[in-house]
Amino acid sequence: MSGPTEGRAADNGRVYQSGGDQHITEHHHHGDARTAAPGTAPDSVRRPAVGRTPVVLRDRVELLGRLRTALEDGRTHQVYVLHGLGGCGKTAVASEIFRSATAEGGLTGLWVNASDLTSLRAGMLAVAADRGAGEGELTAARSGLRAAADLVWDRLDRSDQPWLLVIDNADDPAVLRDGSWLRTSPRGTTLVTTRQVAAHWWPGAELHHVGVLPREDAARVLCDLAPESGTVEEAAEIADRLGRLPLALTLAGGYLAHQVIDPWSMAEYGRALDRGPEVDAIELLDQGAEYGSGHDSRHLASSTWELSLDALRTHGLPEATTLIQLLACWSHDPLPLHLLAGAGVGAVLPRPRVELALRGLLDHSLTRLVPGPPRCVRTHGVLLDSIARGTPGEHRDALLGAAAELLGAVLPDVTRPWAREDPPPAPFAPHTRALLRRTVQWTEAGPATVTRVLDCALRLVVALHRAGDYASALSVAQDAVARGTRLLDASHPVVIAIRQRVGRALYRLGRYEEAEAAHRLALSDCTAAFGADAVETLESCVGLSPVLVWGLGRKAEAVSLLRRAVAGRTAALGAAHPSTLIARTYLLEFTVGPELDPVTGPELLADCRRVVGPGHPITLAAELNHGFALITTGHQRQALPLVRGVVAALERAYGPDHPKTLAARSLLSRVLAELGLFEEAVAQAELVADARARVLGPEHPWTAWSLERLAERRR
């Protein structure tokens, strides 16, 4: 069939300019799926087909300004694309531009929903009718006798008034490409909203990202919707919990504003969101939809992102769903990309498909790249909670197991205390804690998976402790014990190991009585569960000993525990095993007598240097304690170069403010003072006192002790 038409056909998703005459030499009609019945036309193309519009459109000032300027300048022949995560407010921005262009700019506004081909086709034909197309032309287009898109753009080109055309919810750009629905025109401007960020879909268009709101504006959204429910600061706390996503804020505000029998305050709503398994946060959010746009899936936190995943499945990427479910095991914080390259991902996804699945999620704005190093992806927290809520129960154990295996591969191996370099724990801390929470939430996790997850928590605690971040180590350990004991017995080996780490962190924080209580309870449970000579029991003996010496002044009991630990570890592991070397290092420190032992210290140093190597933390600790023994027994000149070397090595390895460095520097100050080098002794003591006040706080016992030593050096 051939006939006169106007416009250029679309090919490969391009945005084409309409104008001029050409002849169609072939037209394919595809039947019902591509022919909208007359009754499916929208009620109006002159009004935005949106749900609840914002009371006030917060933020977006720069974006709105740029779009308004473009319209005021009459920049036709242009397509603007607003892209971003579902629920981030793209339609709200488009609606405000539509209002401004029509009410203030004098443009004719036209609004079409492109969520599927039927809606797009019906809406665009309604646009043609609005721009003067006759019933005969429309009938020919509907029946396939005329190219529908050519008719629409012919009428738009001939419009007697300049216009703004909004094509909303164009989340599948292939719908626009099929039929050449997206073009440019000298008579107007086109604005598209989409979740599809891939630039190849929008050649020639100007792309604008629409993200979450700044904290202050997000809080004001809640206050706009529910002004009587609480303060701006309370609103800001809820906004933070909801990741400042406009959809979530709108749902929360709708709920707060319309409760009648027992209205909640913002503070009560915030507490409900954080109540864990007792309250389904996504279900609570969705209740706010009752007071606005109803149960349209685009306006529900529980289902809006399923639209994107459905599209990915339709286009042959079902693995994208599995990958987002795996991401939902972790936190919304930036996730280092190399985590997804681990072998553990193969338990739930074919490894060759991971890259394609991730690209699909990125293209549909379900996650986004964060520049590095390290390069990361970041996924919105409400989206992750929604995905987790909808993950089938039969998949959850495998997903948690894979997430734990991938995380465990990048955290320190606590069975290898001689490992020379540990990865920095900070990037993985939020993901480990989130994995713990998800494991408790997903009750389908089996004991083996729970053990693997708790092992990740143990590794993180060890890494934080080694980094000198004792407060974080304590927080993670206590959280892991609380959650772990809901799923495993308190005497399970991994739970015991984390409990022992609670005691170590409490000691380092100067909370000696609590540390003793934690260690004694762990020691008692270990003895009952594993026996008096078990490795787990001996670990409690070692952990309790410094608390007794330096915190509570009970040296004799500490030495007895250490002798027991050294003997037990020697029998079980050997005298030169790293764990035995650690116990021997403690024992050297606590058993220094009036005379220097000519064997114990040198023999320990030789074993450490041979087994773990010079410069290793275990070796440095042994050297420092040998230096302490030399000083205590009157061999200051022999001790000085040894202690200086340890200070320099620890500063290189850990930095000047690490507690290990400060402990060594404190000993250096002592030996300098005893050798009469008072000026340098005072300088070293000042460094220690200042750093401990900053790092540990003025109330910590070690800070007070350092200030006392500084006062002595200055006399």
Side-chain angles (χ1 to χ4, degrees):
M1 178 181 293
S2 63
T5 63
E6 291 78 28
R8 298 183 189 172
D11 183 30
N12 296 325
R14 294 187 180 278
V15 178
Y16 283 90
Q17 179 175 325
S18 174
D21 293 338
Q22 70 175 31
H23 292 274
I24 295 179
T25 58
E26 184 178 20
H27 173 70
H28 295 283
H29 174 55
H30 298 274
D32 293 342
R34 301 176 183 271
T35 305
T40 63
D43 293 334
S44 173
V45 292
R46 291 294 192 97
R47 297 182 60 187
V50 299
R52 181 191 312 165
T53 57
V55 177
V56 178
L57 187 64
R58 296 295 182 184
D59 191 48
R60 317 303 190 198
V61 175
E62 181 180 355
L63 175 57
L64 289 171
R66 293 174 66 181
L67 294 172
R68 284 175 177 146
T69 299
L71 292 173
E72 290 168 1
D73 292 348
R75 297 181 199 168
T76 57
H77 290 305
Q78 184 63 55
V79 174
Y80 298 93
V81 176
L82 305 181
H83 64 87
L85 173 69
C88 67
K90 303 177 295 294
T91 297
V93 173
S95 177
E96 174 59 21
I97 288 296
F98 187 97
R99 183 205 64 77
S100 175
T102 55
E104 302 165 12
L107 300 183
T108 295
L110 304 163
W111 190 285
V112 174
N113 175 33
S115 59
D116 58 76
L117 183 56
T118 299
S119 299
L120 171 67
R121 185 181 177 86
M124 291 296 275
L125 287 174
V127 165
D130 182 274
R131 296 293 85 205
E135 188 57 39
E137 294 175 298
L138 294 169
T139 300
R142 292 187 185 111
S143 63
L145 298 176
R146 180 172 185 178
D150 287 345
L151 171 63
V152 173
W153 285 99
D154 171 40
R155 289 299 169 180
L156 286 170
D157 285 345
R158 297 185 183 188
S159 175
D160 58 350
Q161 296 174 317
W163 45 261
L164 169 68
L165 171 63
V166 175
I167 301 179
D168 192 29
N169 297 326
D171 299 328
D172 184 0
V175 170
L176 295 173
R177 181 181 66 184
D178 190 1
S180 181
W181 289 106
L182 183 59
R183 311 181 191 180
T184 63
S185 170
R187 295 297 294 154
T189 304
T190 304
L191 180 64
V192 180
T193 73
T194 181
R195 302 180 186 189
Q196 177 58 261
V197 66
H200 67 83
W201 286 112
W202 315 109
E206 186 174 304
L207 275 64
H208 297 274
H209 177 251
V210 182
V212 299
L213 293 170
R215 189 173 196 261
E216 180 180 349
D217 291 285
R220 290 165 67 193
V221 168
L222 282 172
C223 292
D224 291 339
L225 293 167
E228 305 300 323
S229 298
T231 66
V232 173
E233 185 52 41
E234 288 171 334
E237 291 176 4
I238 294 177
D240 286 341
R241 171 63 176 79
L242 298 176
R244 308 193 305 277
L245 184 71
L247 170 63
L249 297 170
T250 301
L251 293 172
Y255 182 90
L256 287 167
H258 292 88
Q259 296 304 294
V260 177
I261 297 176
D262 186 19
W264 281 8
S265 66
M266 287 188 186
E268 290 171 318
Y269 191 89
R271 287 193 292 272
L273 287 174
D274 291 326
R275 217 172 286 161
E278 301 173 23
V279 174
D280 185 330
I282 300 300
E283 182 179 355
L284 178 60
L285 279 175
D286 279 354
Q287 290 180 34
E290 300 283 353
Y291 311 107
S293 52
H295 284 83
D296 180 348
S297 60
R298 288 184 176 274
H299 303 138
L300 294 174
S302 59
S303 57
T304 182
W305 298 291
E306 284 297 328
L307 299 171
S308 299
L309 293 173
D310 287 344
L312 286 165
R313 284 190 287 268
T314 300
H315 289 91
L317 266 181
E319 296 89 354
T321 297
T322 305
L323 181 56
I324 197 73
Q325 290 170 345
L326 179 63
L327 295 179
C329 295
W330 295 312
S331 167
H332 64 274
D333 290 85
L335 180 80
L337 273 171
H338 67 264
L339 203 69
L340 298 177
V345 76
V348 291
L349 273 171
R351 293 184 68 184
R353 301 286 290 177
V354 175
E355 176 73 24
L356 291 172
L358 179 59
R359 174 51 57 190
L361 296 179
L362 290 167
D363 287 348
H364 284 76
S365 300
L366 291 169
T367 191
R368 63 185 179 89
L369 287 174
V370 180
R375 293 179 69 240
C376 298
V377 289
R378 186 166 196 166
T379 313
H380 197 280
V382 175
L383 185 157
L384 293 176
D385 285 344
S386 175
I387 295 297
R389 182 177 185 267
T391 298
E394 63 269 22
H395 298 164
R396 293 177 173 181
D397 182 73
L399 288 164
L400 290 169
E405 184 174 345
L406 290 167
L407 199 55
V410 297
L411 289 169
D413 184 353
V414 296
T415 66
R416 296 177 61 230
W418 58 92
R420 188 171 290 275
E421 294 181 359
D422 292 335
F428 306 106
H431 301 294
T432 306
R433 303 194 76 162
L435 182 59
L436 269 171
R437 292 191 296 271
R438 196 69 79 202
T439 303
V440 173
Q441 182 187 49
W442 283 355
T443 56
E444 295 84 356
T449 297
V450 174
T451 301
R452 183 174 289 176
V453 171
L454 288 173
D455 183 66
C456 288
L458 174 61
R459 293 181 181 208
L460 175 63
V461 170
V462 170
L464 291 168
H465 192 99
R466 290 175 179 171
D469 188 356
Y470 305 125
S472 295
L474 176 62
S475 176
V476 175
Q478 289 177 327
D479 185 30
V481 170
R483 297 180 189 277
T485 50
R486 295 171 63 174
L487 304 170
L488 298 174
D489 189 80
S491 60
H492 188 283
V494 71
V495 178
I496 284 287
I498 299 172
R499 290 171 57 195
Q500 290 167 337
R501 284 286 163 177
V502 169
R504 286 178 177 268
L506 286 167
Y507 162 65
R508 291 289 181 175
L509 291 169
R511 295 160 60 175
Y512 300 132
E513 290 79 8
E514 295 173 76
E516 181 191 16
H519 277 302
R520 287 202 184 279
L521 182 58
L523 178 59
S524 174
D525 288 349
C526 283
T527 303
F530 312 119
D533 297 325
V535 172
E536 295 87 351
T537 307
L538 299 176
E539 177 65 23
S540 286
C541 293
V542 174
L544 179 57
S545 62
V547 181
L548 295 174
V549 173
W550 300 118
L552 303 173
R554 301 208 291 270
K555 184 175 178 179
E557 184 181 359
V559 169
S560 175
L561 288 170
L562 277 174
R563 292 192 189 282
R564 173 182 165 189
V566 169
R569 286 182 171 180
T570 299
L573 305 171
H577 187 279
S579 295
T580 310
L581 295 177
I582 291 171
R584 289 171 60 191
T585 298
Y586 276 119
L587 190 60
L588 172 63
E589 180 182 13
F590 298 158
T591 55
V592 176
E595 298 294 332
L596 181 65
D597 186 332
V599 175
T600 302
E603 184 181 79
L604 173 61
L605 294 185
D607 285 344
C608 288
R609 290 165 179 163
R610 175 173 53 83
V611 174
V612 297
H616 188 277
I618 295 177
T619 304
L620 294 176
E623 289 175 344
L624 187 65
N625 285 357
H626 183 52
F628 173 71
L630 290 169
I631 295 167
T632 303
T633 56
H635 297 78
Q636 282 80 1
R637 294 196 180 280
Q638 186 181 347
L640 180 57
L642 180 62
V643 176
R644 277 196 193 279
V646 172
V647 171
L650 290 172
E651 189 164 1
R652 286 193 301 271
Y654 296 103
D657 291 342
H658 192 281
K660 289 186 177 182
T661 307
L662 297 177
R665 195 180 299 282
S666 179
L667 188 61
L668 176 59
S669 176
R670 172 182 169 178
V671 69
L672 287 167
E674 292 181 3
L675 287 170
L677 302 171
F678 297 111
E679 184 175 347
E680 187 180 357
V682 169
Q684 296 292 337
E686 287 175 342
L687 290 173
V688 173
D690 291 345
R692 281 181 169 166
R694 277 186 284 104
V695 175
L696 300 175
E699 305 302 322
H700 195 286
W702 294 353
T703 304
W705 185 89
S706 298
L707 291 171
E708 291 173 3
R709 300 291 81 73
L710 175 59
E712 290 177 1
R713 307 280 185 264
R714 284 173 171 168
R715 289 174 189 166

